[in-house]
Amino acid sequence: LHKKPQRPFPMPIQTNDLTIELRGDQQQIALITLNRPSKRNALNDGLVLAIRDVFQGMPHSVRAAVIHGHGEHFCAGLDLSELSERDAAAGLHHSRMWHHALDQVERGPVPVVAALHGAVVGGGLELASACHLRVADTSSFFALPEGSRGIFVGGGGSVRIPRLIGTARMADMMFTGRVLNAEEGERAGLAQYLVPQGTALDKALELATRIASNAPLTNYALMQALPRIADQTADHGFFTEALISAIVQDAPEAKARVREFLEGRGPKVKKQ
Ligand code: 1HE
């Protein structure tokens, strides 16, 4: 650690490998595209830092985001060509850089829906796991090839992936190189929606539009309180829930929405 350089990672931000496009009549949806298809959207340092920066600098109009990959695959994970030069200290800082970047996704300003297709592997699965919902099309496949490459996850996967699918399933994927197809991934909990090939982005945009229409404080509570409550004891969780629910229901928007329903103007819950 004493060898830590002054600025271990430069501040690139300007990269064509990541694009952001605002959609919706009020620019409330951000469409974020991994745009490095020739390398299967492998995440080099510049791309990881660009992800950090796009979430840190999210325009105020945005209420929900979608992230997807250009080309045949969502993301091939860590750019392995950058791995060889790193010693242990650099590896530690590199992993913490990923943690910081993906924390901006998970605990950032807006809910994020991942639209998945093709390879969702290694760091690509770690990125998808930091999102709040995942939509997989039938071409998707999920793997953690770190096991066979002689390395370990470093982008928060050991924390986030077991929370989606359990420690035993993640261990299986790393021990044995098991590749889950789209149906298996959805059944295991890696994706919340399974859709026909080529339609994940449309479905993710539809979901993001729906999410963006929620009261912002409800979305904030879902992003910030729900995962923290999951980490608490039941006793602490009940108390945190009571605090958050008291704050959220006190907002004028909550009062207005409840009044709308009671006056017969609010939407009813419809059987699908
Ligand atoms: C890459 C990478 C990469 C592709 N780093 N360059 N991730 C992996 O171990 C997955 C490695 N990749 C693959 O298994 C396959 O590339 C895919 C299944 C994703 C796609 O296969 P395919 O046939 O469509 O593409 P390709 O021909 O294998 O690759 C096209 C190019 O992308 C090729 O480069 P080119 O210069 O020869 O054209 C590949 O070398 C390049 N490429 N994937 C660098 N990952 C925070 S810790 C996270 C730890 C990890 O993520 S470990 C898992 C890394």
Side-chain angles (χ1 to χ4, degrees), residues 163-176:
R163 287 186 170 131
L164 294 175
I165 64 173
T167 303
R169 277 203 191 91
M170 175 168 174
D172 181 22
M173 289 172 79
M174 290 194 70
F175 273 134
T176 67

Side-chain angles (χ1 to χ4, degrees), residues 44 87 130 132 166 194 203 269:
N44 57 16
D87 63 10
H132 302 94
L194 179 62
K203 182 68 181 176
V269 178

Side-chain angles (χ1 to χ4, degrees), residues 3-98:
K3 286 199 291 184
K4 179 183 172 189
Q6 283 299 97
R7 290 177 59 209
F9 297 101
M11 308 276 288
I13 312 340
Q14 298 302 324
T15 169
N16 295 327
D17 293 345
L18 192 77
T19 62
I20 175 170
E21 182 194 328
L22 301 189
R23 296 238 180 138
D25 47 6
Q26 286 157 18
Q27 306 211 309
Q28 68 274 39
I29 308 295
L31 175 59
I32 295 160
T33 305
L34 302 172
N35 188 30
R36 207 184 169 218
S38 64
K39 294 290 177 187
R40 306 316 186 239
N41 297 320
L43 298 168
N44 57 16
D45 290 351
L47 197 38
V48 175
L49 290 171
I51 292 171
R52 175 197 68 183
D53 288 359
V54 87
F55 281 91
Q56 273 181 350
M58 191 66 74
H60 290 301
S61 64
V62 174
R63 306 272 289 266
V66 169
I67 188 161
H68 79 128
H70 187 51
E72 297 296 303
H73 302 280
F74 173 68
C75 177
L78 175 73
D79 187 323
L80 292 167
S81 68
E82 290 186 348
L83 188 79
S84 52
E85 299 305 312
R86 262 180 233 128
D87 63 10
L92 171 60
H93 292 305
H94 181 259
S95 171
R96 296 299 288 156
M97 183 265 281
W98 270 67

Side-chain angles (χ1 to χ4, degrees), residues 70-260:
H70 187 51
E72 297 296 303
H73 302 280
F74 173 68
C75 177
L78 175 73
D79 187 323
L80 292 167
S81 68
E82 290 186 348
L83 188 79
S84 52
E85 299 305 312
R86 262 180 233 128
D87 63 10
L92 171 60
H93 292 305
H94 181 259
S95 171
R96 296 299 288 156
M97 183 265 281
W98 270 67
H99 293 164
H100 180 62
L102 296 193
D103 194 51
Q104 305 312 305
V105 179
E106 186 179 33
R107 300 282 160 94
V110 292
V112 188
V113 184
L116 307 175
H117 73 294
V120 184
V121 305
L125 181 53
E126 296 186 286
L127 169 60
S129 304
C131 299
H132 302 94
L133 280 180
R134 285 149 293 276
V135 178
D137 86 5
T138 49
S139 74
S140 308
F141 56 98
F142 304 91
L144 290 168
E146 286 87 342
S148 62
R149 309 258 183 253
I151 55 178
F152 192 66
V153 285
S158 63
V159 173
R160 295 192 180 99
I161 296 169
R163 287 186 170 131
L164 294 175
I165 64 173
T167 303
R169 277 203 191 91
M170 175 168 174
D172 181 22
M173 289 172 79
M174 290 194 70
F175 273 134
T176 67
R178 184 170 181 174
V179 179
L180 302 185
N181 65 27
E183 290 77 14
E184 290 167 334
E186 191 255 353
R187 218 180 305 132
L190 286 175
Q192 284 61 58
Y193 293 83
L194 179 62
V195 296
Q197 184 165 357
T199 66
L201 181 55
D202 285 347
K203 182 68 181 176
L205 286 166
E206 176 198 319
L207 294 172
T209 304
R210 172 74 201 266
I211 292 167
S213 73
N214 289 341
L217 211 49
T218 302
N219 282 347
Y220 183 82
L222 284 168
M223 292 174 61
Q224 304 293 334
L226 196 60
R228 288 185 168 89
I229 291 171
D231 286 342
Q232 292 178 340
T233 61
D235 183 46
H236 290 190
F238 289 132
F239 191 68
T240 309
E241 179 187 276
L243 290 174
I244 297 297
S245 109
I247 293 166
V248 172
Q249 59 92 49
D250 191 44
E253 187 159 352
K255 308 266 186 240
R257 286 175 182 235
V258 172
R259 201 177 323 111
E260 265 180 23

